[in-house]
Amino acid sequence: MYRAVLVDDENYDLEGLRCLIPWNELGIEVVCSENKPLAALQYIENHEIDLLITDIKMPVISGIELSRKAIELNPELKTVFISGYQDFQYAKQALDLKAHGYILKPVDDEEIVGVLRSAVAELDNERMRKAEDSSLITSFDFIQNDVLQHLLEGSIDRETLDAFLACYPMDIVFSSAYAVLIEADDVLLRLRENPETVNAELDGLFHYIGGEIEAAGTGKWCRVNRSQIGMVYTAEPELLEQWLEKLVETVREQTSYTITVSYGAEVPDLEALSVSFSQAKTYMNGKMFIGKNRVIPPSLSKPGMNKDIKDMSVVLDVMFGAMANYRLIQICDGIDELFEVAALFEHPVKVYHFSVHIASRLEAYLGTLNENYESLLGWGIQQMDVIHHLDTVEDIKRWLRNTLFQISEILFMKKQHKNRRLMEHIEAYIQERLAENLTLRLVADHFAYSPNHLGVLFKEHTGESFNEYLVRIRMEKAILLLGQHQYKIYEVADRVGYRNIAYFSRQFREYFNITAADYRKQS
């Protein structure tokens, strides 16, 4: 509904406008009707409106002046003037204000309804245009974020990237660049204490950081997961660490959060960004050793730490990959390897910090799968507090193992459900085209899969290869058709995809240990 204000110093005319026009039918709500223009102006100054229908000649302030002030407040306002004076000067001023309509008294109901319908149509078009523009901007931002994330992760090929950049230039021009990872600190702790507000706070934090990046012109950024931003730094290399330290300081001073930042090696082109980003993620694992709220450079200060972090990063990657693919033994192996490192810690507190760090890395990994603890396990992050109530390393390992097993099983079941729906569509597709020359490659192409991948899915879902599956359903269909005596045997063969009657007869006999002709005699 559009909001309208009616103004006329003649009460009779005002009441006629308010009561005799089918406002609801027009999609208009009269939010204010006044016979005092100053009272109407006060309302307009304090409320958003879409339409102003006003008499022109009124005491104290004219309709022209009222309209002018209202348009200053809302340039997109539609105005309709009503006048009992056929004075060209009024009409001229109305035209100067780009009034939507100028109606003479006595008002003809049909005329004003027509003018109002036209105004509503314009408002509809403007609203639609704004929605489309907003949608395009939102879509572009989403696509750019997605492409940039794939670029950093190394999961986009050059052809796809070039096609995107041709349509949506991202202004990434550089002779060298660095991949940067920015992580909000203490996210798990905050989620445990106040889960309802933290996601909104993180949105605000990353919007602020993104604004700082854009204002400085230092590169492009994207949201990687709930607690991390990825960035392509393309400004002066010698200023990188200085600028990142300034960003850490600014966030600490201007927000309620702190951040830790790591970055990888300098790379010469877009294709190599994933290497730099992988290094940045590895160095971020050093946060638990050397502290948060700082920049972690590629060269870490403590001897041997670099190797420990890289080793731990590899183990985490393998363990999370095993979790995503339902390889439970590898999960156990990964946990054992990680806690071999924990056995070297001098104080139990460090073991707890280490365990929470693993849980934090797990949450970040789930973000890459568009999942989180809540979506998979149905519980808030506050349940991570259980780690601090476990007495021994074995207790922590057992808790982590059970958590990873549970997540792995849920991911596996989701994947199975997704594959089952796909296979249902594929089976229906094959059933509809049994008479055609179907091949694995043809079906795979139709569903945008590689033949090898689809072949594996068939084996997993049906327990048989694609060819075995195809022969089986063709033979099952042939049995049904042979029971319908209006079809000759060669017609049955043709309807299930066999153009060669001899080949069909041989296949039927091998499958059922009886000829098609003998089966028909028995049916």
Side-chain angles (χ1 to χ4, degrees), residues 282-301:
T282 296
Y283 300 139
M284 185 60 75
N285 287 325
K287 177 177 172 178
M288 69 159 296
F289 293 105
I290 61 177
K292 61 190 176 184
N293 187 25
R294 56 161 295 162
V295 176
I296 303 175
S299 54
L300 299 172
S301 55

Side-chain angles (χ1 to χ4, degrees), residues 432-451:
E432 291 169 4
R433 293 164 177 79
L434 267 185
E436 300 175 11
N437 182 26
L438 289 172
T439 65
L440 177 60
R441 178 171 295 279
L442 187 149
V443 176
D445 287 346
H446 179 80
F447 287 92
Y449 275 77
S450 72

Side-chain angles (χ1 to χ4, degrees), residues 234-491:
T234 56
E236 295 85 346
E238 61 273 12
L239 298 179
L240 169 63
E241 198 158 328
Q242 178 184 339
W243 183 81
L244 291 177
E245 287 173 352
K246 180 66 176 174
L247 180 65
V248 170
E249 180 184 350
T250 301
V251 169
R252 181 173 60 247
E253 293 175 351
Q254 300 297 324
T255 76
S256 60
Y257 278 78
T258 62
I259 57 172
T260 301
V261 182
S262 61
Y263 63 93
E266 184 178 15
V267 293
D269 51 47
L270 290 174
E271 286 88 345
L273 273 173
S274 60
V275 175
S276 183
F277 192 61
S278 177
Q279 292 170 346
K281 289 194 291 185
T282 296
Y283 300 139
M284 185 60 75
N285 287 325
K287 177 177 172 178
M288 69 159 296
F289 293 105
I290 61 177
K292 61 190 176 184
N293 187 25
R294 56 161 295 162
V295 176
I296 303 175
S299 54
L300 299 172
S301 55
K302 291 189 178 180
M305 185 182 297
N306 214 335
K307 180 179 183 303
D308 290 342
I309 291 171
K310 284 185 177 178
D311 290 346
M312 187 175 73
S313 180
V314 169
V315 174
L316 284 172
D317 287 344
V318 171
M319 184 176 73
F320 294 155
M323 176 196 69
N325 291 285
Y326 204 50
R327 296 196 294 267
L328 304 185
I329 293 176
Q330 276 188 277
I331 292 175
C332 296
D333 293 341
I335 291 172
D336 289 340
E337 283 189 68
L338 287 172
F339 280 87
E340 284 177 11
V341 177
L344 303 176
F345 294 156
E346 299 171 0
H347 196 282
V349 171
K350 289 189 176 181
V351 178
Y352 290 122
H353 289 169
F354 178 73
S355 304
V356 172
H357 177 78
I358 293 171
S360 178
R361 296 274 70 78
L362 171 58
E363 212 246 354
Y365 179 84
L366 292 176
T368 67
L369 306 178
N370 296 316
E371 300 284 3
N372 54 47
Y373 290 126
E374 186 175 358
S375 69
L376 291 172
L377 301 175
W379 42 260
I381 204 72
Q382 64 270 24
Q383 285 172 260
M384 300 302 286
D385 193 48
V386 69
I387 292 174
H388 295 281
H389 299 289
L390 300 175
D391 293 329
T392 68
V393 168
E394 285 303 315
D395 291 337
I396 295 173
K397 287 172 66 176
R398 189 179 302 109
W399 175 86
L400 182 60
R401 182 167 52 248
N402 289 341
T403 300
L404 291 174
F405 279 9
Q406 193 175 354
I407 292 173
S408 185
E409 184 172 1
I410 292 168
L411 290 174
F412 177 75
M413 295 305 295
K414 280 191 171 189
K415 187 177 179 182
Q416 290 296 100
H417 177 68
K418 179 182 175 184
N419 289 343
R420 183 165 61 251
R421 289 182 62 192
L422 169 67
M423 292 304 300
E424 286 172 358
H425 289 306
I426 292 174
E427 288 172 352
Y429 177 84
I430 291 172
Q431 286 284 1
E432 291 169 4
R433 293 164 177 79
L434 267 185
E436 300 175 11
N437 182 26
L438 289 172
T439 65
L440 177 60
R441 178 171 295 279
L442 187 149
V443 176
D445 287 346
H446 179 80
F447 287 92
Y449 275 77
S450 72
N452 287 341
H453 188 187
L454 191 61
V456 171
L457 289 180
F458 254 98
K459 193 74 175 177
E460 288 179 352
H461 183 73
T462 65
E464 54 195 346
S465 70
F466 174 82
N467 287 335
E468 290 169 341
Y469 170 83
L470 190 59
V471 169
R472 175 170 61 81
I473 63 169
R474 279 177 165 164
M475 291 298 104
E476 289 172 356
K477 183 69 177 289
I479 285 287
L480 293 175
L481 293 175
L482 286 169
Q484 301 174 38
H485 289 260
Q486 69 268 33
Y487 297 119
K488 295 181 172 56
I489 291 178
Y490 73 83
E491 289 177 317

Side-chain angles (χ1 to χ4, degrees), residues 3 17 24 52 83 189 209 241 271-273 390 455 480 505:
R3 294 151 298 191
L17 275 176
N24 285 336
L52 172 63
S83 175
L189 179 63
I209 294 172
E241 198 158 328
E271 286 88 345
L273 273 173
L390 300 175
L480 293 175
S505 298

Side-chain angles (χ1 to χ4, degrees), residues 28-55:
I28 299 171
E29 178 188 3
V30 177
V31 293
C32 174
S33 59
E34 275 290 347
N35 62 356
K36 296 181 177 63
L38 284 177
L41 179 59
Q42 185 177 5
Y43 182 90
I44 292 168
E45 287 174 340
N46 293 287
H47 299 83
E48 291 186 5
I49 65 168
D50 305 294
L51 281 158
L52 172 63
I53 299 99
T54 178
D55 190 10

Side-chain angles (χ1 to χ4, degrees), residues 1-2 18-30 109-110 113-114 116-118 120-121 124:
M1 296 286 281
Y2 294 108
R18 196 174 65 81
C19 298
L20 300 178
I21 304 299
W23 299 104
N24 285 336
E25 182 185 322
L26 292 167
I28 299 171
E29 178 188 3
V30 177
D109 289 353
E110 289 186 8
V113 166
L116 291 172
R117 285 192 194 281
S118 174
V120 166
D124 286 341

